[in-house]
């Protein structure tokens, strides 16, 4: 585990004074949306498996939604990992 050398950094000039990522909010959003998007991925995949050739929305549309929700699941899970790692180092 890498420890932060200085918890507060000196301003170098042009950045805003209090420009910090809100890790608590990012953690909360990642914890809430990772399982939500995972369930949405499973639901769209299930409905795509049950879709008939004449059903609306089409099977391809449902597969597209499932792939999109899977990408959001991966993004939220990676963000959760990054936030947990940064909180260990910074706090």
């Amino acid at each position: 585990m890498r420890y932060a050398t200085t918890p507060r950094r000196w301003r170098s000039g042009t950045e805003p004074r209090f420009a910090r990522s809100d890790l608590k909010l990012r953690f909360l959003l990642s914890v809430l949306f990772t399982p939500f998007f995972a369930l949405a991925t499973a639901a769209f995949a299930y409905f795509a498996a049950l879709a008939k050739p004449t059903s609306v929305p089409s099977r391809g549309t449902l597969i597209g939604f499932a792939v999109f929700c899977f990408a959001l699941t991966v993004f939220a899970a990676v963000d959760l990992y990054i936030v947990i790692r940064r909180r260990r180092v910074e706090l």
Side-chain angles (χ1 to χ4, degrees):
M1 178 187 303
R2 187 182 72 163
Y3 293 100
T5 56
T6 57
R8 305 276 183 216
R9 296 185 183 168
W10 294 100
R11 292 185 57 205
S12 63
T14 59
E15 73 271 2
R17 186 169 182 199
F18 298 110
R20 299 191 191 276
S21 177
D22 189 4
L23 293 180
K24 290 179 186 176
L25 180 62
R26 281 178 59 191
F27 178 77
L28 177 67
L29 290 174
S30 294
V31 165
L32 291 176
F33 283 108
T34 300
F36 174 76
F37 288 134
L39 288 174
T41 301
F44 282 125
Y46 177 73
F47 289 132
L50 295 179
K52 295 185 169 101
T54 59
S55 63
V56 175
S58 68
R59 184 175 189 191
T61 302
L62 292 172
I63 291 172
F65 283 144
V67 168
F68 181 70
C69 286
F70 178 73
L72 290 175
T73 303
V74 171
F75 181 78
V78 168
D79 189 48
L80 182 62
Y81 171 75
I82 291 170
V83 168
I84 289 172
R85 193 175 56 131
R86 281 186 58 195
R87 285 182 72 178
R88 282 185 192 153
V89 170
E90 292 180 7
L91 297 179

